[in-house]
Amino acid sequence: MEYIFGVPGEENADFVMSLNQSDKIRFILTRHEQGAAFMAEVYGRLTGHTAGCLGTLGPGATNLLTGVGDGNMDLAPMLVLAGQGSSKRLHKESHQIMDAVSMFRPVTKWAETIRHPDNIPEMIRKAVRLARSEKPGAVFLELCEDIASLDTDAKPLSVRRYPRPMPEAESLEQACEMIRNARRPVIIAGNGVIRMKASDSLRRLADLTGIGVISTFMAKGCVDVDADYCLYTIGLGRKDLVACAVDAADLVITLGYDLVEYHPHLWNPAGDKPVLHLDSTPAEIDACYHPELELIGDIGHSLDAIADNLSKGSLPSFDLQPQQAVRRDMTADLEMHKDDDTEGFIRPQKALWDVRQALPADGLVLSDVGAHKMWIARHYHCHQPNTCLVPNGFCSMGFALPGAIAASLIEPQRQVLAICGDGGFMMNVQEMETARRYDCNLTVMVWEDKEYGLIAWKQTDHFGDHTPLSFNNPDWMKLAESFGWQGHSVANSRDLQQTLTTAMNEEGPSLVVIPIDYRENQILSNRLGEIACPI
């Protein structure tokens, strides 16, 4: 473990003082425990390893909860640590005492109290193994202040790796037969492809067969956006162009697909679409997701075995015309506003086009949650895995700024851009100080509309109007100055790309604020659901 992010307190003082003597683990002091949890989540998603997030008892523990829920549902390995009062007073009403273990159980893979110092090596080893094992997630350990102060001779347990299971040969052969017999197969790639580092194997299969690859929000970059077989992203609540490729398919191959991201009733409403499921675990039971065959094990190995098998004979002759039509029309849609020259407001499509042009292939975008997330999902696409992080299970606002801090600490030379709405950004605005204190090289781009725009969008879609959702904002440039950040305000489309490039090449943290034209939300809603499939 490299990092523990958090806020110390009285009841975790022994632990924090001991941690201060470590030459292997760096403690990052945050301004709020929620920010610490988001930082640990992003560390886990980018590296596949665990980081810790720390709070004290009572409110310190409850402040961690939202970020922990987000990381757990987005399948990020993370170790959650909280102090607790003396074990001598847990059984009764007592100052700041609450049952934190029971509170964390619904949002973790395992939650437990450390009852004896000699148990710590076993419990830490178990916690980290559970956190990293497929499907990964959060684990929670609580340490009472009187237990933390005790001495122990127990030594840490060494790490023991174990191989991932592999599908049996008979199942692999059946999978290949399903693919050979299909005329219009399509691939839906999910988060598991990124987590299990199977992108190279997926690209090999797609290069070999030409089968189109659709990614979920959290699988962006599993194939290169420039590849002819890249069919962009699926996941919006209404039918989009990309869904036409699924409609036309006579076989859907799902790879590391997590139902929490995009419910199958949206792409397989009758539950009659033939599905081949490749994942680390068996399929979740769902009436609209009932695979004919499941290959359980290492996704990369399964894909390589299928590619090897298919390449031995003549390759199947697939009908790729529907997929090519989807890519053609979606590409034209993405390019529609790239040359905008609007003043006073900037369209979401133009903003994301310029972000893609300004960032290198390995640049990292972190999306917060709000209306902008829908636009990022649809309009921002990647060349490499783990270059766009979208929270799409628990979907917590306030994710992107703390996440960008963690990313910049992990890879300080990488260009890191957080995109936030003005609502989500203000939920963890205090972490601007953390970013400045650690001299983080990052940029935050705020889309200002002065309301909870996603809720306004959804209420308008459903009811034709929305409840009062407007609010005021600070003077952004004064806010940036007060925290020691660089600040940029962009009002005109033509100035955005150059301003982004300038901001991302400045030393330390930078803030870029744009007036977003969310009139486009309703325009998109009017188009979605009435898509005429180009086949």
Side-chain angles (χ1 to χ4, degrees), residues 258-428:
D258 303 317
L259 272 63
V260 71
E261 273 209 84
Y262 187 53
H263 200 286
H265 77 75
L266 293 170
W267 59 267
N268 190 20
D272 58 356
K273 188 74 70 174
V275 173
L276 171 59
H277 170 96
L278 281 73
D279 205 351
S280 58
T281 58
E284 177 78 13
I285 300 299
D286 188 281
C288 296
Y289 189 73
H290 195 49
E292 292 190 6
L293 180 65
E294 301 183 41
L295 298 186
I296 308 305
D298 184 89
I299 296 173
H301 174 87
S302 298
L303 289 170
D304 286 337
I306 289 171
D308 289 342
N309 187 303
L310 293 177
S311 62
K312 288 177 182 177
S314 58
L315 290 172
S317 179
F318 299 125
D319 176 11
L320 301 178
Q321 188 274 329
Q323 298 176 16
Q324 293 166 348
V326 166
R327 178 170 171 82
R328 178 199 66 214
D329 289 4
M330 191 66 196
T331 300
D333 208 38
L334 298 176
E335 295 177 350
M336 188 180 303
H337 293 289
K338 67 178 183 178
D339 296 321
D340 274 7
D341 192 18
T342 56
E343 297 185 2
F345 289 96
I346 299 173
R347 287 188 177 96
Q349 303 96 313
K350 169 62 172 173
L352 293 170
W353 180 271
D354 284 2
V355 168
R356 181 66 281 174
Q357 304 310 305
L359 273 174
D362 67 345
L364 175 63
V365 166
L366 299 97
S367 172
D368 214 273
V369 174
H372 62 283
K373 179 185 132 177
M374 301 297 104
W375 289 103
I376 291 169
R378 191 174 192 266
H379 282 262
Y380 186 80
H381 301 284
C382 304
H383 300 283
Q384 300 176 14
N386 262 340
T387 54
C388 182
L389 298 187
V390 178
N392 205 37
F394 206 56
C395 297
S396 299
M397 296 175 72
F399 160 89
L401 171 57
I405 292 171
S408 68
L409 290 171
I410 298 165
E411 299 180 80
Q413 301 309 312
R414 192 177 186 186
Q415 289 197 342
V416 176
L417 173 67
I419 302 179
C420 308
D422 43 7
F425 180 69
M426 292 299 291
M427 287 189 177
N428 273 312

Side-chain angles (χ1 to χ4, degrees), residues 164-286:
R164 292 190 180 118
M166 306 298 180
E168 58 187 12
E170 182 180 351
S171 296
L172 285 166
E173 184 57 45
Q174 291 175 357
C176 292
E177 281 304 305
M178 290 178 68
I179 296 171
R180 287 192 186 95
N181 293 331
R183 286 279 295 142
R184 292 179 170 182
V186 70
I187 293 170
I188 297 179
N191 185 14
V193 175
I194 305 294
R195 286 196 318 271
M196 300 182 76
K197 297 179 172 56
S199 292
D200 288 346
S201 299
L202 171 56
R203 294 179 185 210
R204 179 190 172 205
L205 179 66
D207 284 331
L208 178 69
T209 63
I211 297 173
V213 179
I214 301 168
S215 75
T216 64
F217 292 6
M218 293 175 65
K220 285 178 175 291
C222 62
V223 295
D224 193 324
V225 62
D226 292 336
D228 290 339
Y229 49 75
C230 175
L231 302 183
Y232 302 109
T233 303
I234 201 165
L236 298 184
R238 292 191 180 191
K239 186 173 183 178
D240 203 352
L241 279 167
V242 176
C244 296
V246 182
D247 288 351
D250 58 1
L251 176 65
V252 178
I253 305 166
T254 61
L255 310 177
Y257 164 64
D258 303 317
L259 272 63
V260 71
E261 273 209 84
Y262 187 53
H263 200 286
H265 77 75
L266 293 170
W267 59 267
N268 190 20
D272 58 356
K273 188 74 70 174
V275 173
L276 171 59
H277 170 96
L278 281 73
D279 205 351
S280 58
T281 58
E284 177 78 13
I285 300 299
D286 188 281

